[in-house]
Short mmCIF file of all heavy atoms in Angstrom, two decimals:
data_model
loop_
_atom_site.label_atom_id
_atom_site.label_comp_id
_atom_site.label_asym_id
_atom_site.label_seq_id
_atom_site.Cartn_x
_atom_site.Cartn_y
_atom_site.Cartn_z
N PHE A 3 -20.29 -72.04 -6.76
CA PHE A 3 -19.53 -70.97 -6.09
C PHE A 3 -19.68 -71.18 -4.59
O PHE A 3 -20.77 -71.03 -4.03
CB PHE A 3 -20.04 -69.59 -6.48
CG PHE A 3 -19.33 -68.48 -5.72
CD1 PHE A 3 -17.94 -68.44 -5.65
CD2 PHE A 3 -20.05 -67.48 -5.08
CE1 PHE A 3 -17.28 -67.45 -4.96
CE2 PHE A 3 -19.39 -66.47 -4.39
CZ PHE A 3 -18.01 -66.45 -4.32
N ASN A 4 -18.61 -71.56 -3.95
CA ASN A 4 -18.63 -71.87 -2.52
C ASN A 4 -18.42 -70.59 -1.72
O ASN A 4 -17.37 -70.36 -1.11
CB ASN A 4 -17.55 -72.91 -2.20
CG ASN A 4 -17.81 -74.21 -2.92
OD1 ASN A 4 -18.94 -74.69 -2.99
ND2 ASN A 4 -16.76 -74.80 -3.48
N TYR A 5 -19.47 -69.78 -1.71
CA TYR A 5 -19.41 -68.44 -1.10
C TYR A 5 -19.01 -68.51 0.37
O TYR A 5 -18.11 -67.79 0.82
CB TYR A 5 -20.76 -67.74 -1.25
CG TYR A 5 -20.89 -66.49 -0.41
CD1 TYR A 5 -20.36 -65.28 -0.85
CD2 TYR A 5 -21.53 -66.51 0.83
CE1 TYR A 5 -20.47 -64.14 -0.08
CE2 TYR A 5 -21.64 -65.37 1.60
CZ TYR A 5 -21.11 -64.19 1.14
OH TYR A 5 -21.20 -63.06 1.91
N ASN A 6 -19.67 -69.37 1.12
CA ASN A 6 -19.40 -69.43 2.56
C ASN A 6 -18.00 -69.96 2.86
O ASN A 6 -17.36 -69.53 3.82
CB ASN A 6 -20.47 -70.28 3.25
CG ASN A 6 -21.80 -69.56 3.32
OD1 ASN A 6 -21.96 -68.62 4.08
ND2 ASN A 6 -22.75 -70.00 2.52
N ALA A 7 -17.52 -70.89 2.03
CA ALA A 7 -16.16 -71.38 2.22
C ALA A 7 -15.15 -70.26 2.00
O ALA A 7 -14.16 -70.14 2.72
CB ALA A 7 -15.89 -72.54 1.26
N MET A 8 -15.40 -69.43 0.99
CA MET A 8 -14.51 -68.30 0.73
C MET A 8 -14.56 -67.28 1.86
O MET A 8 -13.56 -66.68 2.25
CB MET A 8 -14.88 -67.61 -0.59
CG MET A 8 -14.56 -68.41 -1.84
SD MET A 8 -12.77 -68.65 -2.06
CE MET A 8 -12.56 -70.29 -1.35
N LYS A 9 -15.74 -67.11 2.41
CA LYS A 9 -15.89 -66.17 3.53
C LYS A 9 -15.13 -66.67 4.75
O LYS A 9 -14.44 -65.90 5.44
CB LYS A 9 -17.37 -66.00 3.85
CG LYS A 9 -17.68 -64.89 4.83
CD LYS A 9 -19.19 -64.68 4.97
CE LYS A 9 -19.50 -63.56 5.95
NZ LYS A 9 -20.96 -63.36 6.10
N GLU A 10 -15.23 -67.97 5.03
CA GLU A 10 -14.49 -68.54 6.16
C GLU A 10 -12.98 -68.49 5.92
O GLU A 10 -12.20 -68.24 6.84
CB GLU A 10 -14.94 -69.99 6.40
CG GLU A 10 -16.38 -70.13 6.88
CD GLU A 10 -16.64 -69.39 8.18
OE1 GLU A 10 -15.73 -69.35 9.04
OE2 GLU A 10 -17.74 -68.83 8.34
N LEU A 11 -12.57 -68.71 4.68
CA LEU A 11 -11.15 -68.64 4.34
C LEU A 11 -10.61 -67.23 4.61
O LEU A 11 -9.42 -67.05 4.87
CB LEU A 11 -10.95 -69.00 2.86
CG LEU A 11 -9.52 -69.31 2.40
CD1 LEU A 11 -9.00 -70.59 3.03
CD2 LEU A 11 -9.48 -69.42 0.88
N ASN A 12 -11.51 -66.24 4.55
CA ASN A 12 -11.14 -64.84 4.74
C ASN A 12 -11.55 -64.34 6.12
O ASN A 12 -11.85 -63.16 6.30
CB ASN A 12 -11.81 -63.98 3.65
CG ASN A 12 -11.12 -62.66 3.44
OD1 ASN A 12 -9.90 -62.56 3.55
ND2 ASN A 12 -11.89 -61.63 3.16
N GLU A 13 -11.58 -65.24 7.10
CA GLU A 13 -11.87 -64.92 8.50
C GLU A 13 -13.21 -64.24 8.69
O GLU A 13 -13.36 -63.26 9.41
CB GLU A 13 -10.75 -64.06 9.11
CG GLU A 13 -9.41 -64.78 9.22
CD GLU A 13 -8.39 -64.01 10.05
OE1 GLU A 13 -8.49 -62.77 10.09
OE2 GLU A 13 -7.52 -64.66 10.63
N GLY A 14 -14.23 -64.77 7.99
CA GLY A 14 -15.58 -64.30 8.21
C GLY A 14 -15.99 -63.08 7.41
O GLY A 14 -17.10 -62.58 7.55
N THR A 15 -15.08 -62.58 6.57
CA THR A 15 -15.38 -61.42 5.75
C THR A 15 -15.54 -61.85 4.30
O THR A 15 -14.79 -62.68 3.81
CB THR A 15 -14.25 -60.37 5.84
OG1 THR A 15 -14.08 -59.99 7.21
CG2 THR A 15 -14.57 -59.14 5.01
N GLN A 16 -16.52 -61.27 3.62
CA GLN A 16 -16.77 -61.62 2.23
C GLN A 16 -15.49 -61.50 1.40
O GLN A 16 -14.80 -60.48 1.46
CB GLN A 16 -17.85 -60.70 1.66
CG GLN A 16 -18.32 -61.07 0.27
CD GLN A 16 -19.42 -60.15 -0.21
OE1 GLN A 16 -19.17 -59.00 -0.54
NE2 GLN A 16 -20.65 -60.65 -0.25
N MET A 17 -15.18 -62.54 0.63
CA MET A 17 -13.96 -62.53 -0.18
C MET A 17 -14.09 -61.53 -1.32
O MET A 17 -15.09 -61.51 -2.03
CB MET A 17 -13.70 -63.93 -0.75
CG MET A 17 -12.41 -64.05 -1.55
SD MET A 17 -10.91 -64.01 -0.53
CE MET A 17 -10.94 -65.68 0.16
N ARG A 18 -13.09 -60.69 -1.47
CA ARG A 18 -13.10 -59.67 -2.52
C ARG A 18 -12.44 -60.19 -3.79
O ARG A 18 -11.91 -61.28 -3.83
CB ARG A 18 -12.34 -58.42 -2.02
CG ARG A 18 -13.03 -57.69 -0.90
CD ARG A 18 -12.10 -56.74 -0.15
NE ARG A 18 -11.17 -56.05 -1.02
CZ ARG A 18 -11.00 -54.72 -1.02
NH1 ARG A 18 -11.74 -53.95 -0.24
NH2 ARG A 18 -10.10 -54.16 -1.78
N SER A 19 -12.51 -59.36 -4.83
CA SER A 19 -11.97 -59.76 -6.13
C SER A 19 -10.53 -59.33 -6.32
O SER A 19 -9.99 -59.45 -7.41
CB SER A 19 -12.83 -59.19 -7.26
OG SER A 19 -12.83 -57.77 -7.22
N ASP A 20 -9.89 -58.83 -5.28
CA ASP A 20 -8.44 -58.56 -5.35
C ASP A 20 -7.75 -59.48 -4.35
O ASP A 20 -7.98 -59.39 -3.16
CB ASP A 20 -8.12 -57.08 -5.10
CG ASP A 20 -8.72 -56.56 -3.80
OD1 ASP A 20 -9.73 -57.13 -3.33
OD2 ASP A 20 -8.17 -55.60 -3.24
N TRP A 21 -6.91 -60.35 -4.88
CA TRP A 21 -6.26 -61.37 -4.07
C TRP A 21 -4.77 -61.05 -3.93
O TRP A 21 -4.06 -60.95 -4.93
CB TRP A 21 -6.40 -62.75 -4.72
CG TRP A 21 -7.82 -63.21 -4.88
CD1 TRP A 21 -8.95 -62.62 -4.42
CD2 TRP A 21 -8.24 -64.40 -5.57
NE1 TRP A 21 -10.05 -63.35 -4.77
CE2 TRP A 21 -9.66 -64.45 -5.48
CE3 TRP A 21 -7.57 -65.41 -6.25
CZ2 TRP A 21 -10.39 -65.48 -6.05
CZ3 TRP A 21 -8.30 -66.43 -6.83
CH2 TRP A 21 -9.71 -66.48 -6.72
N VAL A 22 -4.30 -60.92 -2.71
CA VAL A 22 -2.89 -60.66 -2.46
C VAL A 22 -2.20 -61.99 -2.15
O VAL A 22 -2.40 -62.57 -1.08
CB VAL A 22 -2.69 -59.66 -1.30
CG1 VAL A 22 -1.20 -59.39 -1.10
CG2 VAL A 22 -3.44 -58.37 -1.57
N ILE A 23 -1.43 -62.48 -3.09
CA ILE A 23 -0.76 -63.78 -2.97
C ILE A 23 0.64 -63.63 -3.56
O ILE A 23 0.80 -63.05 -4.64
CB ILE A 23 -1.53 -64.87 -3.74
CG1 ILE A 23 -2.93 -65.07 -3.14
CG2 ILE A 23 -0.77 -66.19 -3.76
CD1 ILE A 23 -3.82 -66.02 -3.93
N PRO A 24 1.68 -64.12 -2.88
CA PRO A 24 3.03 -63.99 -3.43
C PRO A 24 3.25 -64.85 -4.66
O PRO A 24 2.56 -65.86 -4.86
CB PRO A 24 3.93 -64.45 -2.27
CG PRO A 24 3.06 -65.34 -1.44
CD PRO A 24 1.67 -64.78 -1.56
N ILE A 25 4.18 -64.44 -5.51
CA ILE A 25 4.53 -65.25 -6.67
C ILE A 25 5.24 -66.51 -6.21
O ILE A 25 5.70 -66.61 -5.07
CB ILE A 25 5.43 -64.48 -7.67
CG1 ILE A 25 6.76 -64.08 -7.01
CG2 ILE A 25 4.71 -63.25 -8.20
CD1 ILE A 25 7.75 -63.46 -7.98
N CYS A 26 5.31 -67.48 -7.08
CA CYS A 26 5.95 -68.74 -6.76
C CYS A 26 7.45 -68.53 -6.55
O CYS A 26 8.15 -68.05 -7.44
CB CYS A 26 5.71 -69.73 -7.89
SG CYS A 26 6.26 -71.39 -7.52
N SER A 27 7.94 -68.87 -5.37
CA SER A 27 9.36 -68.66 -5.07
C SER A 27 9.80 -69.64 -3.99
O SER A 27 9.01 -70.46 -3.52
CB SER A 27 9.60 -67.22 -4.60
OG SER A 27 8.84 -66.94 -3.43
N GLY A 28 11.04 -69.54 -3.58
CA GLY A 28 11.55 -70.37 -2.50
C GLY A 28 11.46 -71.85 -2.80
O GLY A 28 11.67 -72.29 -3.92
N GLY A 29 11.08 -72.63 -1.78
CA GLY A 29 11.04 -74.07 -1.93
C GLY A 29 9.95 -74.56 -2.86
O GLY A 29 10.03 -75.66 -3.39
N GLU A 30 8.92 -73.73 -3.08
CA GLU A 30 7.84 -74.15 -3.98
C GLU A 30 8.27 -74.10 -5.44
O GLU A 30 7.78 -74.87 -6.26
CB GLU A 30 6.61 -73.24 -3.78
CG GLU A 30 5.42 -73.68 -4.61
CD GLU A 30 4.23 -72.75 -4.47
OE1 GLU A 30 4.26 -71.86 -3.59
OE2 GLU A 30 3.28 -72.89 -5.26
N ARG A 31 9.18 -73.20 -5.76
CA ARG A 31 9.64 -73.06 -7.15
C ARG A 31 10.48 -74.28 -7.53
O ARG A 31 11.49 -74.58 -6.91
CB ARG A 31 10.46 -71.79 -7.30
CG ARG A 31 11.20 -71.64 -8.59
CD ARG A 31 10.27 -71.48 -9.79
NE ARG A 31 9.71 -70.14 -9.88
CZ ARG A 31 9.01 -69.70 -10.93
NH1 ARG A 31 8.80 -70.50 -11.96
NH2 ARG A 31 8.52 -68.49 -10.93
N ILE A 32 10.04 -74.98 -8.55
CA ILE A 32 10.76 -76.17 -9.00
C ILE A 32 11.96 -75.74 -9.85
O ILE A 32 11.81 -74.96 -10.80
CB ILE A 32 9.84 -77.09 -9.83
CG1 ILE A 32 8.62 -77.49 -9.00
CG2 ILE A 32 10.59 -78.32 -10.31
CD1 ILE A 32 7.57 -78.23 -9.79
N ARG A 33 13.12 -76.26 -9.50
CA ARG A 33 14.35 -75.92 -10.23
C ARG A 33 15.09 -77.19 -10.63
O ARG A 33 15.06 -78.19 -9.91
CB ARG A 33 15.27 -75.02 -9.39
CG ARG A 33 14.66 -73.67 -9.08
CD ARG A 33 15.61 -72.78 -8.28
NE ARG A 33 15.00 -71.50 -7.96
CZ ARG A 33 15.02 -70.44 -8.77
NH1 ARG A 33 15.65 -70.53 -9.94
NH2 ARG A 33 14.44 -69.31 -8.42
N ILE A 34 15.74 -77.12 -11.76
CA ILE A 34 16.58 -78.21 -12.25
C ILE A 34 17.95 -77.63 -12.55
O ILE A 34 18.08 -76.70 -13.37
CB ILE A 34 15.98 -78.86 -13.51
CG1 ILE A 34 14.61 -79.47 -13.18
CG2 ILE A 34 16.92 -79.92 -14.06
CD1 ILE A 34 13.91 -80.06 -14.38
N ASP A 35 18.96 -78.14 -11.85
CA ASP A 35 20.32 -77.61 -11.98
C ASP A 35 20.36 -76.11 -11.74
O ASP A 35 21.06 -75.35 -12.41
CB ASP A 35 20.89 -77.93 -13.37
CG ASP A 35 21.02 -79.42 -13.63
OD1 ASP A 35 21.27 -80.16 -12.66
OD2 ASP A 35 20.85 -79.84 -14.79
N GLY A 36 19.58 -75.68 -10.78
CA GLY A 36 19.58 -74.27 -10.39
C GLY A 36 18.72 -73.37 -11.24
O GLY A 36 18.51 -72.20 -10.90
N GLU A 37 18.18 -73.87 -12.35
CA GLU A 37 17.35 -73.06 -13.24
C GLU A 37 15.88 -73.39 -13.04
O GLU A 37 15.52 -74.51 -12.70
CB GLU A 37 17.74 -73.33 -14.71
CG GLU A 37 19.18 -72.99 -15.04
CD GLU A 37 19.47 -71.51 -14.95
OE1 GLU A 37 18.55 -70.71 -15.27
OE2 GLU A 37 20.60 -71.14 -14.56
N LYS A 38 15.02 -72.39 -13.27
CA LYS A 38 13.59 -72.62 -13.15
C LYS A 38 13.16 -73.73 -14.11
O LYS A 38 13.49 -73.69 -15.30
CB LYS A 38 12.81 -71.35 -13.50
CG LYS A 38 12.99 -70.20 -12.52
CD LYS A 38 12.21 -68.98 -13.00
CE LYS A 38 12.41 -67.79 -12.08
NZ LYS A 38 11.70 -66.57 -12.59
N ALA A 39 12.40 -74.69 -13.58
CA ALA A 39 11.92 -75.78 -14.44
C ALA A 39 10.88 -75.26 -15.43
O ALA A 39 10.78 -75.75 -16.55
CB ALA A 39 11.32 -76.89 -13.59
N HIS A 40 10.11 -74.27 -15.01
CA HIS A 40 9.09 -73.65 -15.87
C HIS A 40 9.06 -72.16 -15.55
O HIS A 40 8.97 -71.78 -14.39
CB HIS A 40 7.73 -74.29 -15.64
CG HIS A 40 6.74 -74.00 -16.72
ND1 HIS A 40 6.19 -72.74 -16.91
CD2 HIS A 40 6.18 -74.79 -17.67
CE1 HIS A 40 5.35 -72.77 -17.92
NE2 HIS A 40 5.33 -74.01 -18.42
N THR A 41 9.10 -71.35 -16.58
CA THR A 41 9.24 -69.91 -16.35
C THR A 41 7.99 -69.26 -15.78
O THR A 41 8.07 -68.19 -15.15
CB THR A 41 9.60 -69.19 -17.67
OG1 THR A 41 8.68 -69.59 -18.68
CG2 THR A 41 11.01 -69.51 -18.09
#
């Protein structure tokens, strides 16, 4: 468990167990012929 790395990733504050991260969308979402490659 890389505690200090997580703390640095969170600007010096202990990383909590609730993570706010957007769903996969935009350019990251892989599409084939306009459809999601994986749902």
Side-chain angles (χ1 to χ4, degrees):
F3 176 49
N4 298 317
Y5 168 82
N6 287 288
M8 289 295 97
K9 190 174 180 180
E10 293 301 324
L11 194 67
N12 201 35
E13 294 190 332
T15 302
Q16 187 178 73
M17 183 73 76
R18 293 163 38 128
S19 61
D20 53 335
W21 299 353
V22 181
I23 297 174
I25 62 173
C26 188
S27 60
E30 184 183 350
R31 169 67 76 171
I32 302 172
R33 296 182 181 274
I34 298 177
D35 297 327
E37 299 294 326
K38 294 178 182 177
H40 196 290
T41 50

